[in-house]
Amino acid sequence: MRSSRVANLVAAPVMLVILVGLASAQEAMKVPDEVAPYQPTSGISGSLSSIGSDTMNNLMTLWQEGFKKHYASVTVQVEGKGSSTAPPALIEGTAQVGPMSRAMKQSEIDEFERRFGYKPTEIRVALDALAVWVHKDNPVKGLSLPQIDAIFSSTRKGGLASDIADWGQLGLSGDWARPISLYGRNSASGTYGFFKDHALFKGDFKNSVKEQPGSASVVQSVENDRYAIGYSGMGYSTAGVRAVPVASKEGGAFVAADIQHVLDGSYPLGRYLYVYVNKAPNKPLEPLLLEFMRFVLSREGQEVVIKDGFIPCPSKILSEELKKLQ
């Protein structure tokens, strides 16, 4: 039996690591002190339309509720059917706000520029970890990106020679050695596109992936299917699922899908969330849209980001994005 003295020597550094980790996580989830609170102005009225990302649907709704506290007569309509719906809505003028959980594709930027003669303005508004979810009782310790690719993709561009279709192929035994159920998003989703580019190495999804209309549906499906795996933004976590740590390569260290690892760049599926707007060069945004975006990038707006389970932007990023609005 180990003596209490030896146990204490082992426990002390472990506890120190835990405390440092908790402090770092708490600091990361705090809006930086230098981020200014929102200062309302006079004469703001009218309505805005937001069309785009499903991942950001709840975030946009919370932003419009917070903004409305300052301007009771203002309305912001929010529609979230997928990031790919944002560029055409901005081009057609059916929306002034285009939330996207991925960056615009070059083809989308080109189409916008053909219409207006200038590019859309990209505003980074939050950070996210694209989580790979399994049932809360699933004992798998972690997955590499090549393994995730072999699970979800028919093309296996990640480099594994064999398809992965059963949990037993990943070392699970007993009742867990069952076929893997796959859940994902539809092709209109920015999350679909990001996962395809970064987890499937720009390969193709298997036909067996059950496409869901929203991120919440993916998580709910995994929660209700013991042998399932799916993907969505970290803000959709529930008690019934677990985010699997991910390694960038075979044999690499598994990295948790958490705040600190997104901020330091070690989690391989970290990403920015964006809002795109139509701003002509050397011309100010119309006042209502300008104030809404100022609110999103303010202390109150970034506190909403935390409330919705995402990660606030560093103050340097917020300052850079505010300059784009001028």
Side-chain angles (χ1 to χ4, degrees), residues 234-282:
M234 65 184 291
Y236 286 84
S237 176
T238 70
V241 297
R242 180 172 67 87
V244 179
V246 176
S248 296
K249 59 184 180 180
E250 282 293 281
F254 294 129
V255 179
D258 60 25
I259 303 148
Q260 200 61 41
H261 293 122
V262 172
L263 288 174
D264 67 21
S266 60
Y267 182 69
L269 296 175
R271 61 178 176 175
Y272 276 105
L273 301 178
Y274 305 91
V275 167
Y276 285 85
V277 295
N278 183 345
K279 182 186 181 301
N282 303 315

Side-chain angles (χ1 to χ4, degrees), residues 79-307:
E79 178 183 304
K81 293 184 177 178
S83 293
S84 66
T85 63
L90 290 173
I91 291 168
E92 294 161 11
T94 55
Q96 298 78 44
V97 182
M100 298 184 69
S101 60
R102 61 164 173 83
M104 264 199 202
K105 299 174 183 177
Q106 188 59 51
S107 58
E108 294 167 331
I109 294 172
D110 291 345
E111 187 174 352
F112 184 100
E113 191 168 13
R114 280 194 295 270
R115 171 66 177 81
F116 296 104
Y118 52 86
K119 291 177 172 59
T121 297
E122 175 189 277
I123 306 296
R124 293 168 290 182
V125 294
L127 291 114
D128 182 27
L130 189 56
V132 178
W133 304 107
V134 295
H135 189 275
K136 64 179 177 62
D137 297 329
N138 189 316
V140 67
K141 291 182 179 179
L143 295 169
S144 68
L145 283 180
Q147 285 176 323
I148 293 169
D149 174 52
I151 291 169
F152 280 94
S153 175
S154 61
T155 46
R156 296 197 304 280
K157 290 188 174 183
L160 290 194
S162 300
D163 176 58
I164 297 176
D166 190 287
W167 287 111
Q169 294 173 263
L170 294 165
L172 275 59
S173 59
D175 185 56
W176 282 102
R178 300 279 191 92
I180 302 171
S181 302
L182 305 176
Y183 293 91
R185 294 299 312 283
N186 56 44
S187 59
S189 162
T191 297
Y192 171 103
F194 185 92
F195 196 76
K196 179 180 171 73
D197 286 350
H198 294 84
L200 271 57
F201 301 87
K202 298 188 177 180
D204 297 323
F205 281 94
K206 292 177 179 176
N207 292 332
S208 56
V209 179
K210 303 175 186 69
E211 293 187 351
Q212 303 298 303
S215 294
S217 300
V218 171
V219 173
Q220 185 177 21
S221 297
V222 174
E223 186 173 343
N224 293 333
D225 185 341
R226 184 174 169 83
Y227 305 102
I229 190 169
Y231 60 90
S232 80
M234 65 184 291
Y236 286 84
S237 176
T238 70
V241 297
R242 180 172 67 87
V244 179
V246 176
S248 296
K249 59 184 180 180
E250 282 293 281
F254 294 129
V255 179
D258 60 25
I259 303 148
Q260 200 61 41
H261 293 122
V262 172
L263 288 174
D264 67 21
S266 60
Y267 182 69
L269 296 175
R271 61 178 176 175
Y272 276 105
L273 301 178
Y274 305 91
V275 167
Y276 285 85
V277 295
N278 183 345
K279 182 186 181 301
N282 303 315
K283 291 184 179 180
L285 284 174
E286 62 98 358
L288 174 56
L289 180 55
L290 174 60
E291 289 308 310
F292 181 75
M293 293 309 304
R294 284 186 58 242
F295 175 81
V296 166
L297 299 173
S298 72
R299 172 170 293 279
E300 288 93 330
Q302 293 298 293
E303 285 170 349
V304 166
V305 170
I306 297 172
K307 181 179 179 180

Side-chain angles (χ1 to χ4, degrees), residues 47-114:
S47 61
L48 291 174
S49 175
S50 168
I51 296 177
S53 168
D54 165 80
T55 295
M56 297 171 67
N57 208 28
N58 194 51
L59 187 55
M60 291 301 307
T61 300
L62 291 172
W63 275 331
Q64 72 91 13
E65 289 173 354
F67 188 65
K68 196 172 176 64
K69 291 178 181 177
H70 296 287
Y71 308 103
S73 64
V74 166
T75 60
V76 182
Q77 296 178 323
V78 177
E79 178 183 304
K81 293 184 177 178
S83 293
S84 66
T85 63
L90 290 173
I91 291 168
E92 294 161 11
T94 55
Q96 298 78 44
V97 182
M100 298 184 69
S101 60
R102 61 164 173 83
M104 264 199 202
K105 299 174 183 177
Q106 188 59 51
S107 58
E108 294 167 331
I109 294 172
D110 291 345
E111 187 174 352
F112 184 100
E113 191 168 13
R114 280 194 295 270

